[in-house]
C-alpha cells in the first residue's frame, strides 16, 4: 500500500526535496538499519531506566528517567513504523498513524529532551552553588511539576498541527519526511529556534558550573573521603549534562541547515532521519556510561590462621 492520492496531492514540494527515488535495495537496507538501531536504543534506555528507578530517586535521576521514556517513545516510532515500512516498501495502518508517529519523533516528544535537559542543567547548578537549598524535601515536588509542564508542552506540540495537516509524514521513497503543508516549515522553525534557546540556557548553566568546579579544583582541600566522592560525582554528572546538551545541539544544526546543502537522498537521510534516531540512542548511551557502577567482589585472603575479607573493585 502506498500513500493515498489525497496525501500525495497534499505534499508540499520544497526546493531541497530529493528529486529521485531511492533504489529498492537501499530502502530495505536502511529500513533494517533503523529497526536494529532503534531496538538497541530502546534496550539501552530501558536498561538505564531500570537502573535509575532502583536507586535512591533524587531529582537528577527522576529527570534522567523521564528522558529515557521520551527517548524510547521516539525510537519506538522507528521500530514499529519507519523501519518496517522501509523494509516492506509499503505502508500499513491508517495514514493518521504515519502522521502522529512522525510528528512525535520530529517535533512533539522530541522537544521533551531539550526541555528536560535544561531542568537537569539547572539541577546541577543548584547542587554546586546552593547545595543546602537543593536538598530540601520539596525538591522532588518541584521536579515533578517541572517535568509535568515539559510533557504538557510536548503533547501540545504533537497534536497542535494535526487538524490543519501541519504535519510530517515519513516517505520511504525519499527516506525522509515529507510536509503536508507549508506551515510545517513554520512549525519546524519555531521548534528548532525554541530548542536553540533551550541550548543557550542549558549551556549557560553548564559554563557557570564549570567555572565553579575549576575554581574549586585549584584550591587546597583537607576534605573527607565522602566530600571527595561528592566532588567526583559532581564533575561526572556535569560532563554527562554537557554531552547530552551537545548532541541535541548538533542534531538541531543538522535538521535546520546541513540537510539543505544537498538534495541527495542519502545525504538528507543522514542529516534528518539518522540524526534524529542517533541522538536518542546516544542520549541513552551517555546516561549509561556516566552512571555505570562496577560491581564489587569479595575476596578471601589468608592472614596467618584467620580469614580477612576485603572489598576489591574491578
Amino acid at each position: 500500500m502506498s500513500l493515498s492520492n489525497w496525501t500525495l496531492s497534499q505534499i508540499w514540494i520544497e526546493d531541497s526535496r530529493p528529486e529521485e527515488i531511492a533504489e529498492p535495495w537501499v530502502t530495505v537496507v536502511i529500513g533494517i538499519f533503523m529497526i536494529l538501531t532503534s531496538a538497541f536504543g530502546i534496550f539501552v534506555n530501558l536498561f538505564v531506566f531500570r537502573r535509575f528507578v532502583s536507586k535512591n530517586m533524587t531529582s537528577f535521576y527522576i529527570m534522567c528517567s523521564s528522558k529515557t521514556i521520551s527517548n524510547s517513545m521516539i525510537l519506538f516510532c522507528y521500530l514499529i513504523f519507519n523501519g518496517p515500512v522501509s523494509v516492506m516498501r509499503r505502508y500499513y495502518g491508517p495514514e493518521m498513524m504515519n502522521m502522529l508517529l512522525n510528528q512525535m519523533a520530529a517535533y512533539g516528544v522530541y522537544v521533551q529532551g531539550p526541555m528536560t535537559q535544561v531542568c537537569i542543567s539547572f539541577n546541577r547548578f543548584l547542587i554546586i552553588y546552593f547545595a543546602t537549598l537543593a536538598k530540601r524535601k520539596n525538591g522532588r515536588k518541584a521536579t515533578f511539576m517541572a517535568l509535568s509542564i515539559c510533557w504538557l508542552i510536548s503533547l501540545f506540540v504533537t497534536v497542535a498541527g494535526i487538524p490543519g495537516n501541519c504535519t510530517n509524514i515519513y516517505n520511504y521513497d525519499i527516506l525522509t519526511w515529507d510536509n503536508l503543508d507549508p506551515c510545517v516549515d513554520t512549525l519546524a522553525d519555531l521548534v528548532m529556534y525554541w530548542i536553540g534557546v533551550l541550548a543557550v540556557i542549558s549551556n549557560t548553566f553548564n559554563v557557570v558550573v564549570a567555572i565553579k568546579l575549576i575554581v574549586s579544583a585549584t584550591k587546597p582541600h583537607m576534605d573527607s573521603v565522602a566530600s571527595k566522592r561528592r566532588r567526583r560525582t559532581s564533575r561526572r554528572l556535569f560532563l554527562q549534562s554537557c554531552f547530552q546538551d551537545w548532541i541535541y545541539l548538533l542534531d538541531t544544526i543538522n535538521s535546520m541547515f546541513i540537510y539543505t546543502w544537498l538534495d541527495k537522498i542519502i545525504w538528507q537521510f543522514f542529516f534528518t532521519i539518522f540524526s534524529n534516531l542517533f541522538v536518542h540512542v546516544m542520549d541513552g548511551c551517555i546516561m549509561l556510561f556516566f552512571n555505570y557502577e562496577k560491581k564489587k567482589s569479595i575476596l578471601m585472603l589468608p592472614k596467618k590462621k584467620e580469614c580477612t575479607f576485603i572489598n576489591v573493585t574491578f
Side-chain angles (χ1 to χ4, degrees):
M1 183 176 66
S2 61
L3 294 173
S4 67
N5 292 332
W6 179 88
T7 301
L8 292 173
S9 68
Q10 295 295 312
I11 291 176
W12 180 56
I13 307 299
E14 296 182 282
D15 294 335
S16 58
R17 185 180 186 271
E19 295 182 359
E20 72 270 20
I21 294 176
E23 294 289 337
W25 71 268
V26 174
T27 305
V28 172
V29 169
I30 287 181
I32 294 173
F33 170 79
M34 285 193 282
I35 292 172
L36 294 178
T37 305
S38 58
F40 171 74
I42 291 172
F43 171 78
V44 171
N45 277 280
L46 293 182
F47 179 77
V48 173
F49 176 81
R50 181 177 175 276
R51 294 291 293 268
F52 285 162
V53 297
S54 65
K55 293 175 177 284
N56 178 22
M57 289 293 282
T58 63
S59 293
F60 180 81
Y61 288 126
I62 292 171
M63 289 183 286
C64 287
S65 298
S66 177
K67 284 203 77 179
T68 64
I69 295 172
S70 59
N71 288 343
S72 298
M73 289 176 66
I74 291 175
L75 294 171
F76 193 65
C77 298
Y78 289 96
L79 181 65
I80 69 166
F81 191 82
N82 292 4
V85 300
S86 297
V87 173
M88 298 184 298
R89 292 186 54 79
R90 65 192 306 270
Y91 298 95
Y92 70 90
E95 289 186 349
M96 177 58 70
M97 181 180 179
N98 189 343
M99 295 179 191
L100 181 61
L101 290 177
N102 284 284
Q103 193 78 345
M104 289 168 53
Y107 304 124
V109 178
Y110 182 88
V111 300
Q112 172 70 14
M115 288 189 296
T116 306
Q117 200 56 47
V118 171
C119 297
I120 291 174
S121 298
F122 182 65
N123 173 266
R124 293 296 89 205
F125 171 78
L126 286 180
I127 290 295
I128 297 299
Y129 280 90
F130 307 101
T132 303
L133 177 64
K135 290 178 181 179
R136 288 182 177 177
K137 293 183 178 180
N138 62 354
R140 289 188 182 182
K141 185 182 295 185
T143 299
F144 281 116
M145 185 177 299
L147 289 176
S148 297
I149 293 172
C150 292
W151 278 103
L152 287 173
I153 293 174
S154 177
L155 177 62
F156 173 77
V157 174
T158 300
V159 302
I162 292 178
N165 292 325
C166 193
T167 59
N168 277 335
I169 58 169
Y170 175 68
N171 189 339
Y172 65 74
D173 282 332
I174 58 174
L175 296 174
T176 188
W177 292 300
D178 256 329
N179 301 339
L180 293 186
D181 192 276
C183 70
V184 176
D185 270 359
T186 302
L187 176 63
D189 288 342
L190 289 174
V191 168
M192 294 307 157
Y193 285 126
W194 172 237
I195 292 173
V197 170
L198 294 174
V200 170
I201 296 172
S202 186
N203 281 286
T204 299
F205 284 128
N206 289 338
V207 170
V208 174
V209 169
I211 293 172
K212 177 72 172 180
L213 292 176
I214 292 171
V215 171
S216 177
T218 59
K219 294 180 179 180
H221 294 283
M222 297 292 292
D223 295 336
S224 65
V225 174
S227 179
K228 292 178 181 178
R229 187 185 301 115
R230 284 195 296 269
R231 286 205 304 274
R232 286 197 300 268
T233 300
S234 295
R235 289 194 293 268
R236 174 169 54 83
L237 298 184
F238 162 73
L239 288 174
Q240 174 187 326
S241 178
C242 288
F243 280 116
Q244 288 178 292
D245 275 328
W246 295 337
I247 60 172
Y248 275 99
L249 183 59
L250 177 62
D251 181 53
T252 301
I253 294 172
N254 289 341
S255 58
M256 284 190 68
F257 305 110
I258 298 181
Y259 92 96
T260 63
W261 293 355
L262 292 174
D263 61 358
K264 302 301 181 181
I265 287 178
I266 298 299
W267 175 273
Q268 295 211 355
F269 166 77
F270 272 106
F271 290 103
T272 55
I273 295 292
F274 174 77
S275 182
N276 181 274
L277 176 62
F278 179 75
V279 70
H280 299 98
V281 176
M282 280 304 301
D283 196 26
C285 291
I286 289 170
M287 287 187 281
L288 177 62
F289 177 80
F290 282 99
N291 294 277
Y292 178 73
E293 296 178 354
K294 296 180 180 179
K295 295 183 178 179
K296 294 182 178 180
S297 325
I298 299 179
L299 295 182
M300 187 170 67
L301 299 180
K303 184 179 180 182
K304 296 181 179 179
K305 295 184 179 181
E306 299 177 352
C307 292
T308 303
F309 292 87
I310 63 172
N311 288 333
V312 178
T313 302
F314 293 97

